[in-house]
Amino acid sequence: MTTAATKTFVEAPLTLTDAPPRTLGVWAQTAMWASFGVTLFGPLTGALVALSAGSVELGLLAAFVGAVIGALLLGASAAIGARLGTPSMVGLRGLLGYRGSLAPTVLNIVQNVGWAMMEIIVISSAAAVIAGEQWRWPFVILAGALTTLMAIFPLNSVRILRLVMLWLVIIGSAVLFYMVLQSPARPLDQSGVIGFWPAVDLAAAQVISFCPLAADYSRHSKTTKAAFSGASVGYGVAIFSYYALGVFAVGHLGGDLTGTNLIAALMALPAGVIAISLLLFDELDDAFANVYSTTVSVHNLAPRVDRRIVSVVVGVVATLLAGFVGFGAYESFLLAIGSVFVPLFAVAVADFFVVRRGAWDTSDAAPFRWTPAVAWFIGFVAYQLIYPGTVPGWSDLWAGIAGGLGFVAPSWLGATLGSIVIAGASAIALGKLNGRRRA
């Protein structure tokens, strides 16, 4: 007999061989994704979007369009997870075959550990500004420990996000918006203006970075519809709100508001320290999401390993990196890895819903499929030609290839949007062509 107390503590399976409980409804997922969308990286991106677009009005529009595009792809990725009942990287067996899924699995593990590290750095650095630099290491350890604990109990952590953190976020957000809008409007610096569509590209990229994590949570969804709406609406609304905070901050606070300068400017507002403190508590959920998704990604490589052991190992590694590794140098590397997943999930959505119509083989015997692999490669090349990034050597390589081809990306074309369209269209075209050939 199952009691109410037993139901309260139902947790995610410890290995890949155990079936995931379907406990998350639409409200639980909406609240969870909204909490993920509330991150201090949001206003940082929003500030860049405004400076790229050239005005507060265009910045808000670019943030909205980018958030909508990214949220639709995120929701579709979550819907795939709800249909399959598998973690994201295991689900990719249906797209690329078992052996083909190993490459994005390894890259996803690397990028998630890196992003968990950066979240802990942001939390500890902002907390150190409030309490003093001598407290940075204690906050690194505390943030890493809490992040690891949440990853060990993921479904109960989702419950905490819904019942506690979301309301703290709403209070802190309301205070920041009020104080920013109370400041007089100022003209924007026009030196960094690059156009509306590149600004849209910036806004969309941060949302799409969560696509490799979506199915890790939506596999616990009660319905496919709840997974799609919870992820797209919850994350989309939250991240647009925080983009808007960054846009308004650039338009009202003035000065150099790129990077950590923006966080310092928000903390300097009346009651800003209190508001940021509330948001720092919620920032733990993004670090937790990255640690937990690293854990279930490992299950695609070692399906019978207890995820709690993996979570502890990943949490310790991310914490140590946060204490000893610099923020800036690793960020450009992570963005380069992230460029892999934009075309990959565009191909996944196109193949799952249009080409194969949900008929994916996610077993460890799934054969390699060349058509989506080629479409993914085409989308990846398109991304690099449009924007080769800033990693030394790598960016020079792609700039040289673009020069040899005589390709110059138009100013209105962003790498994220261009890659999504090209990869998705290639997946559909090659899939239909292969279907005709086989027939």
Side-chain angles (χ1 to χ4, degrees):
M1 180 176 179
T2 303
T3 64
T6 303
K7 290 182 180 179
T8 302
F9 293 97
V10 170
E11 261 302 346
L14 300 181
T15 67
L16 185 61
T17 55
D18 301 322
R22 299 283 188 157
T23 60
L24 300 181
V26 64
W27 165 239
Q29 291 178 88
T30 302
M32 177 191 71
W33 282 107
S35 188
F36 288 163
V38 175
T39 168
L40 293 177
F41 283 103
L44 296 179
T45 301
L48 292 175
V49 168
L51 294 171
S52 299
S55 71
V56 169
E57 294 77 14
L58 284 177
L60 288 174
L61 181 59
F64 176 77
V65 173
V68 168
I69 294 171
L72 290 175
L73 189 59
L74 177 64
S77 301
I80 293 175
R83 288 273 294 273
L84 297 176
T86 63
S88 294
M89 296 300 108
V90 176
L92 289 180
R93 296 175 180 179
L95 180 71
L96 301 170
Y98 173 70
R99 293 185 182 277
S101 71
L102 299 182
T105 297
V106 172
L107 290 174
N108 192 47
I109 290 171
V110 173
Q111 78 155 353
N112 277 330
V113 171
W115 284 118
M117 174 200 75
M118 291 206 294
E119 292 288 354
I120 295 173
I121 289 176
V122 168
I123 294 169
S124 59
S125 298
V129 171
I130 299 172
E133 182 59 30
Q134 71 274 16
W135 285 94
R136 191 183 78 85
W137 255 108
F139 277 115
V140 167
I141 296 172
L142 178 61
L146 291 175
T147 294
T148 305
L149 184 64
M150 292 175 71
I152 293 174
F153 302 102
L155 294 184
N156 280 285
S157 297
V158 169
R159 187 175 294 107
I160 294 173
L161 297 181
R162 181 176 77 246
L163 297 177
V164 180
M165 289 189 179
L166 183 61
W167 304 109
L168 294 177
V169 162
I170 292 174
I171 295 171
S173 303
V175 170
L176 286 177
F177 267 98
Y178 176 77
M179 298 310 303
V180 166
L181 294 176
Q182 285 292 103
S183 303
R186 303 168 183 264
L188 267 64
D189 180 12
Q190 299 295 302
S191 62
V193 175
I194 56 177
F196 176 78
W197 286 108
V200 171
D201 186 56
L202 284 172
Q206 183 165 332
V207 185
I208 295 171
S209 69
F210 264 87
C211 286
L213 287 66
D216 299 339
Y217 305 94
S218 64
R219 66 181 175 139
H220 301 290
S221 179
K222 295 178 180 178
T223 65
T224 301
K225 183 178 180 181
F228 175 82
S229 58
S232 58
V233 175
Y235 194 87
V237 170
I239 198 64
F240 170 69
S241 300
Y242 267 66
Y243 285 164
L245 177 62
V247 172
F248 284 128
V250 169
H252 286 263
L253 300 183
D256 179 13
L257 295 183
T258 57
T260 55
N261 292 337
L262 175 59
I263 305 300
L266 293 174
M267 292 175 66
L269 294 170
V273 170
I274 297 175
I276 293 294
S277 298
L278 293 177
L279 298 181
L280 283 179
F281 184 64
D282 181 74
E283 195 77 19
L284 287 169
D285 61 11
D286 290 277
F288 140 68
N290 286 294
V291 171
Y292 177 65
S293 288
T294 303
T295 299
V296 293
S297 294
V298 169
H299 273 165
N300 193 34
L301 307 175
R304 297 184 182 277
V305 175
D306 190 320
R307 63 168 177 78
R308 295 171 298 185
I309 298 174
V310 181
S311 293
V312 172
V313 172
V314 173
V316 170
V317 171
T319 302
L320 291 176
L321 288 174
F324 292 108
V325 177
F327 182 90
Y330 201 61
E331 184 179 14
S332 58
F333 174 62
L334 287 172
L335 290 174
I337 292 179
S339 69
V340 171
F341 293 101
V342 171
L344 175 61
F345 278 88
V347 170
V349 170
D351 186 81
F352 187 85
F353 290 105
V354 179
V355 179
R356 284 298 182 97
R357 300 186 183 276
W360 273 10
D361 177 7
T362 59
S363 70
D364 56 8
F368 178 74
R369 296 179 57 211
W370 71 269
T371 49
V374 171
W376 177 25
F377 178 74
I378 292 172
F380 174 74
V381 170
Y383 191 107
Q384 300 302 326
L385 290 177
I386 296 170
Y387 179 66
T390 58
V391 177
W394 178 260
S395 58
D396 297 333
L397 170 66
W398 285 101
I401 294 174
L405 295 174
F407 175 79
V408 178
S411 60
W412 49 265
L413 181 62
T416 297
L417 300 182
S419 178
I420 288 174
V421 172
I422 293 172
S426 299
I428 294 172
L430 290 174
K432 298 293 186 182
L433 180 63
N434 188 48
R436 290 173 187 161
R437 184 186 62 80
R438 293 177 61 186

